[in-house]
């Protein structure tokens, strides 16, 4: 496991899964520039390394991330990485899948980092909130426009305008979370999801994520017209032939990622 000199974010590769842990438990994992830089570097590694397929983002000490470190903010520090945004993530999520494993609080920028992930696993005691208006700020790390995409408009606006959090159970009911699990087991369940992704063809997974995100604002006609840019390389790949052969021969496929 490796991290910044201060170890404010830890990065560990295990097989094809990269786990990134925000490691500032005394500050409830409030985001610092050092941690954000380490996260950005880890996501670049994820996309550049053909041996990696998926990443898990979590926090240490029973908290995901309490948002921006306001003490450092007062001193002029901004936990923003050029090209990646807050937390080294929100403006440029990785091309490969990213799973948030949430224990405890995911507030402000911490919740905005969750919103930038593809899948979410949360402990029953997790809470999600955008309290920026209580601090004279606004959720400009993606929360203002991403929350209404994944939550009902009324729920998202209540969070944005009151600053009050919602529970993991409510977030799950509204479709934000994939799994609500026993407290302390979010990373383990996220790893189970990650293993399910790892078993699939890397090129197909990456193309599926890219098209799903790109098509959010397209009509059905536009989607059918434009999808070939994403899907033609998948159908023409060696992995497509291998997938069919493995199915026919009743064996596990041997993906090449091409």
């Amino acid at each position: 496991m490796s991290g910044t000199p201060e170890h404010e974010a830890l990065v560990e590769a295990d097989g094809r899964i990269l786990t990134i842990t925000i490691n500032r438990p005394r500050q409830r994992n409030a985001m610092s520039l050092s941690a954000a830089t380490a996260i950005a570097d880890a996501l670049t590694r994820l996309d550049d390394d053909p041996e990696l397929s998926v990443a898990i983002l979590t926090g240490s000490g029973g908290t995901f991330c309490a948002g921006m470190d306001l003490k450092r903010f007062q001193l002029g520090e901004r936990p923003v990485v050029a090209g990646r945004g807050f937390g080294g993530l929100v403006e440029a999520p990785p091309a490969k899948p990213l799973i948030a494993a949430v224990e405890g609080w995911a507030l402000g920028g911490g919740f905005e980092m969750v919103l930038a992930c593809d899948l979410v696993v949360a402990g029953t005691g997790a809470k999600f909130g955008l309290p920026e208006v209580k601090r004279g700020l606004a959720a400009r790390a993606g929360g203002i426009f991403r929350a209404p995409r994944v939550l009902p408009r009324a729920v998202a606006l209540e969070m944005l305008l009151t600053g009050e959090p919602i529970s993991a159970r409510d977030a799950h009911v509204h479709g934000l979370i994939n799994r609500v699990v026993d407290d302390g087991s979010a990373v383990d369940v996220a790893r189970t999801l990650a293993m399910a992704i790892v078993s699939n063809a890397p090129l197909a997974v990456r193309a599926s994520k890219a098209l799903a995100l790109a098509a959010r604002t397209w009509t059905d006609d536009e989607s059918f017209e434009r999808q070939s840019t994403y899907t033609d390389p998948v159908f023409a790949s060696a992995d497509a032939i291998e997938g069919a052969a493995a199915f026919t021969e009743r064996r596990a496929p041997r993906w090449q990622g091409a």
Side-chain angles (χ1 to χ4, degrees), residues 18-19 26 29 34 37 40 58 87 95 101 105 126 128 141 146 150 203 230 242 249:
L18 192 70
T19 301
R26 292 183 180 178
N29 295 325
S34 179
T37 300
T58 192
W105 292 96
F128 302 84
R146 281 187 173 134
V150 298
L203 187 65
Y230 300 85
E242 168 63 12
E249 297 166 14

Side-chain angles (χ1 to χ4, degrees), residues 153-199:
R153 177 179 176 275
V155 174
L157 283 174
E158 183 172 339
M159 294 180 71
L160 287 163
L161 302 181
T162 69
E164 294 298 320
I166 63 173
S167 68
R169 293 293 185 190
D170 286 343
H172 184 249
V173 168
H174 294 309
L176 171 69
I177 298 174
N178 296 85
R179 306 277 192 279
V180 178
V181 300
D182 291 339
D183 288 334
S185 63
V187 170
D188 289 340
V189 176
R191 185 170 180 81
T192 299
L193 277 175
M195 290 299 295
I197 293 171
V198 165
S199 69

Side-chain angles (χ1 to χ4, degrees), residues 1-254:
M1 183 175 285
S2 61
T4 66
E6 299 83 5
H7 303 293
E8 292 192 346
L10 306 175
V11 181
E12 181 180 20
D14 183 6
R16 302 188 70 85
I17 302 171
L18 192 70
T19 301
I20 307 165
T21 305
I22 307 165
N23 190 43
R24 307 187 72 228
R26 292 183 180 178
Q27 297 81 23
R28 296 199 300 166
N29 295 325
M31 187 55 53
S32 66
L33 179 58
S34 179
T37 300
I39 292 169
D41 290 345
L43 296 179
T44 298
R45 174 184 172 188
L46 171 68
D47 279 343
D48 289 349
D49 188 344
E51 297 302 314
L52 295 172
S53 295
V54 59
I56 297 169
L57 177 64
T58 192
S60 63
T63 298
F64 183 77
C65 175
M68 180 169 59
D69 188 322
L70 293 179
K71 290 183 179 179
R72 294 195 181 188
F73 174 77
Q74 286 181 304
L75 298 175
E77 180 182 288
R78 303 292 184 270
V80 174
V81 177
R84 288 279 190 187
F86 180 90
L89 165 62
V90 299
E91 293 180 20
K96 295 177 183 178
L98 178 61
I99 304 171
V102 182
E103 303 281 359
W105 292 96
L107 293 176
F111 181 38
E112 289 170 302
M113 294 176 74
V114 171
L115 291 170
C117 294
D118 302 301
L119 304 176
V120 183
V121 176
T124 56
K127 296 287 183 66
F128 302 84
L130 295 167
E132 282 84 348
V133 291
K134 292 177 178 286
R135 310 287 184 261
L137 302 171
R140 69 176 186 179
I144 290 175
F145 52 85
R146 281 187 173 134
R149 288 178 187 165
V150 298
L151 293 166
R153 177 179 176 275
V155 174
L157 283 174
E158 183 172 339
M159 294 180 71
L160 287 163
L161 302 181
T162 69
E164 294 298 320
I166 63 173
S167 68
R169 293 293 185 190
D170 286 343
H172 184 249
V173 168
H174 294 309
L176 171 69
I177 298 174
N178 296 85
R179 306 277 192 279
V180 178
V181 300
D182 291 339
D183 288 334
S185 63
V187 170
D188 289 340
V189 176
R191 185 170 180 81
T192 299
L193 277 175
M195 290 299 295
I197 293 171
V198 165
S199 69
N200 297 321
L203 187 65
V205 167
R206 192 163 178 163
S208 295
K209 171 179 173 173
L211 179 56
L213 295 178
R216 285 176 301 185
T217 60
W218 300 348
T219 65
D220 284 355
D221 287 344
E222 290 171 329
S223 297
F224 279 111
E225 180 180 348
R226 298 177 184 179
Q227 72 172 345
S228 59
T229 300
Y230 300 85
T231 58
D232 281 1
V234 174
F235 278 76
S237 69
D239 279 352
I241 302 300
E242 168 63 12
F247 178 81
T248 301
E249 297 166 14
R250 298 183 179 181
R251 60 171 174 80
R254 295 182 289 269

